[in-house]
Amino acid sequence: MAKTQLNVRVDEGTARAARERALARGMSVNRYIEELVRQDTGEAGRTFVEAAADFMKQYEAVFAEELGTGHEERRTGRSEGRR
């Protein structure tokens, strides 16, 4: 996606808050402000779904290991040894 530069003037307190919030979230100020605008324009749901999908993909092996056989037992109500 092409990017457009946008210059914004804010007071020092607002600039400091933006820097602190971005740092706390592990992202650039640019990305932080971009996400705020997306949320304000109704794209928060899509952003959430994308983040959740990324999370699931990142931890897919952990979920598969954790929910493998035990998940099947909970779903059917029986273990492999009790048929």
Side-chain angles (χ1 to χ4, degrees):
M1 165 177 31
K3 297 282 185 173
T4 299
Q5 184 171 340
L6 178 65
N7 295 313
V8 179
R9 292 187 184 269
V10 296
D11 62 71
E12 186 55 40
T14 301
R16 185 175 31 258
R19 289 184 197 106
E20 290 171 0
R21 298 289 177 121
L23 181 62
R25 289 172 171 78
M27 63 178 64
S28 68
V29 173
N30 209 47
R31 173 94 189 256
Y32 173 68
I33 292 174
E34 190 174 8
E35 286 190 11
L36 288 177
V37 172
R38 282 192 181 131
Q39 288 174 11
D40 192 47
T41 59
E43 293 185 22
R46 185 174 63 96
T47 301
F48 172 78
V49 169
E50 288 173 358
D54 288 343
F55 175 83
M56 293 298 289
K57 185 173 184 176
Q58 184 178 357
Y59 290 97
E60 182 177 10
V62 175
F63 292 133
E65 182 179 322
E66 181 69 25
L67 300 176
T69 306
H71 178 66
E72 182 64 24
E73 283 181 24
R74 285 189 294 276
R75 191 172 62 80
T76 63
R78 56 185 171 179
S79 69
E80 293 295 317
R82 299 181 290 147
R83 289 197 186 247

